[in-house]
Amino acid sequence: MEKIIVEVGSVCTKVDKFDGKKIERIKEKTIQFKQHYNEDKALRESDVTQLIYFINNLKKISKDIFVCGTSIFRTLSEVEKNDFIDRFQKETGYSFNIISQEQENKLTTYGATRFAKGKVCVLIGGGGSTEIAIFDKEIQESVNTKIGVIDIMQQFPDLANDIATTPLETVMEYIKPRLNLPKQKADILILAGGGHEKFARQSGIKYEKNTLYEDHASPIMMDIETRRSETKRFFTEISLDDIRVKSNDPDWWYATRAMCAFALVVAEQIGAKYIIPTDISMCYGIIDKGEN
């Protein structure tokens, strides 16, 4: 029986399918839960109905569905949280499991480091939260912050324009004092928790084959100087409008420049020499650790 794992974040809802042997990303959907919550001071009705409709359609693939939520759902009041969970259960037939920031960090780090060699850092970036772990055989250091890319977009809305007008350095300087950063160093920074490989492949930035270790879920990499120069180019030269026109989910690209700035802030803090962008999320840890 195929199992479906759905991770609902502040911006991106990710759907992975497990056939008993391998995990495959089969769907993604952008629902701006965090942005709309900030505007309305409540979950927006259209966002909730979109999610419920989306989950009910997944039943065509498998009835075995595990749904979990992160970031924005952790910040709801107890009344809001209970009302949402009760409605979700009633209208889909499934529980909505809200994952703590600490558990999200552990589960995602587990998946991202399965084949890594030596000491690495894992950055789990989201719309409303950021988790960072230093890993060497086990998690050596873990730091979490309750800010994400949507918080940065509220400060620098031009990052969603065709070409950004705010310099990359200005965004990084804004992020740095607001982000809890690890004290330990690592040569490799693994980007997880979102569509980082998707971004690299579709944005037009340069990358190469991952030669540091073999993992079908981590096939590409770039050295830090390439990532730094390509991020500047993504801010000042690469047309976001051109990318969105070709994308089947144009809204997904809204906060990608902000996420690039987060990645460089962490890379500089840990002294990274290489960055490995992946689409790995919590599903590996959820399945292997029996969390579902």
Side-chain angles (χ1 to χ4, degrees):
M1 167 69 77
E2 292 179 333
K3 184 172 190 64
I4 301 294
I5 308 292
V6 183
E7 182 181 326
V8 187
S10 289
V11 176
C12 188
T13 294
K14 302 176 281 281
V15 183
D16 293 284
K17 181 179 69 174
F18 178 58
D19 65 4
K21 294 182 179 178
K22 68 179 185 298
I23 295 170
E24 176 189 4
R25 175 66 49 80
I26 59 170
K27 287 181 183 290
E28 288 184 354
K29 184 170 181 60
T30 299
I31 305 177
Q32 295 285 358
F33 281 108
K34 169 82 172 180
Q35 181 182 347
H36 294 160
Y37 189 90
N38 288 347
E39 293 169 1
D40 301 350
K41 309 305 178 191
L43 290 176
R44 187 170 291 184
E45 173 63 20
S46 59
D47 292 346
V48 175
T49 55
Q50 270 192 81
L51 177 63
I52 289 170
Y53 179 80
F54 183 69
I55 297 298
N56 283 330
N57 269 341
L58 292 177
K59 296 174 185 176
K60 299 172 185 176
I61 302 171
S62 173
K63 297 292 193 298
D64 190 357
I65 301 175
F66 176 79
V67 186
C68 60
T70 62
S71 193
I72 181 61
F73 300 99
R74 295 191 284 253
T75 67
L76 300 178
S77 70
E78 284 304 307
V79 171
E80 290 177 303
K81 196 179 295 183
N82 291 334
D83 286 348
F84 169 74
I85 289 173
D86 289 347
R87 176 179 175 185
F88 187 87
Q89 173 79 49
K90 182 179 179 181
E91 297 188 28
T92 67
Y94 297 105
S95 299
F96 190 91
N97 303 274
I98 298 176
I99 306 293
S100 71
Q101 201 167 17
E102 293 73 21
Q103 193 70 348
E104 180 180 6
N105 194 333
K106 287 167 59 177
L107 291 170
T108 310
T109 297
Y110 174 82
T113 58
R114 293 168 305 138
F115 301 105
K117 298 176 181 177
K119 195 176 191 179
V120 300
C121 177
V122 179
L123 166 62
I124 305 156
S129 66
T130 303
E131 295 81 38
I132 306 170
I134 300 290
F135 183 91
D136 188 2
K137 297 185 177 63
E138 61 183 21
I139 293 178
Q140 304 289 330
E141 184 182 0
S142 178
V143 289
N144 303 320
T145 314
K146 293 180 179 178
I147 66 165
V149 292
I150 298 303
D151 302 287
I152 305 310
M153 294 305 296
Q154 289 182 315
Q155 184 69 23
F156 304 108
D158 66 280
L159 299 185
N161 294 345
D162 184 36
I163 299 294
T165 53
T166 301
L168 168 63
E169 293 77 11
T170 300
V171 181
M172 290 176 63
E173 285 305 311
Y174 181 82
I175 292 171
K176 198 175 299 181
R178 292 167 172 81
L179 190 63
N180 294 324
L181 291 164
K183 293 181 174 58
Q184 296 187 42
K185 305 296 182 182
D187 285 347
I188 298 171
L189 173 61
I190 301 173
L191 307 181
H196 299 283
E197 181 189 345
K198 171 185 173 179
F199 164 77
R201 291 186 184 278
Q202 296 183 20
S203 65
I205 70 168
K206 295 176 183 176
Y207 59 85
E208 59 186 294
K209 183 179 184 295
N210 181 3
T211 57
L212 299 172
Y213 59 88
E214 288 190 17
D215 178 3
H216 75 277
S218 309
I220 64 173
M221 60 175 268
M222 63 277 295
D223 63 77
I224 187 61
E225 290 307 321
T226 297
R227 180 69 184 215
R228 187 178 288 114
S229 62
E230 289 297 279
T231 299
K232 289 183 179 179
R233 193 165 70 88
F234 184 55
F235 269 62
T236 60
E237 297 179 29
I238 294 177
S239 166
L240 208 53
D241 287 348
D242 286 351
I243 294 172
R244 284 187 282 233
V245 165
K246 299 171 186 175
S247 175
N248 57 12
D249 187 7
D251 290 344
W252 183 86
W253 291 87
Y254 170 71
T256 47
R257 287 190 175 114
M259 185 61 79
C260 286
F262 269 92
L264 282 182
V265 167
V266 177
E268 289 187 359
Q269 171 68 19
I270 66 168
K273 297 177 182 178
Y274 304 98
I275 291 182
I276 299 175
T278 79
D279 292 343
I280 293 171
S281 60
M282 287 192 294
C283 63
Y284 289 88
I286 287 170
I287 290 168
D288 289 355
K289 297 294 186 183
E291 298 288 336
N292 53 297

